[in-house]
Amino acid sequence: MDLRLTGKLALVSGSTAGIGYAIAEALVREGARVVVNGRTRQSVEPAVASLNAIAPKSAFEFSEI
């Protein structure tokens, strides 16, 4: 199915596990870029790596400096 999400940006809350991760993965597979959100850096980093393994440079973490 083509949802025409290539080039779109999505923020998925709680996207490091469970339903949130499944939604982030589906969006990545459809061509969207996804901002990964979670409670800790230790949960966010593996989720970003897994999503980027599916589609390079598709997922990233946003954090304030």
Side-chain angles (χ1 to χ4, degrees):
M1 176 180 341
D2 182 6
L3 299 176
R4 297 190 207 167
L5 297 178
T6 301
K8 301 290 182 175
L9 179 63
L11 167 63
V12 181
S13 178
S15 51
T16 60
I19 294 171
Y21 180 83
I23 292 168
E25 183 177 331
L27 290 169
V28 163
R29 290 186 186 280
E30 287 294 323
R33 295 180 66 221
V34 175
V35 178
V36 177
N37 172 266
R39 291 184 198 173
T40 67
R41 182 173 298 277
Q42 290 78 16
S43 66
V44 171
E45 289 175 350
V48 169
S50 294
L51 294 169
N52 283 330
I54 295 167
K57 298 183 181 180
S58 62
F60 61 94
E61 168 191 1
F62 175 79
S63 59
E64 287 189 34
I65 298 175

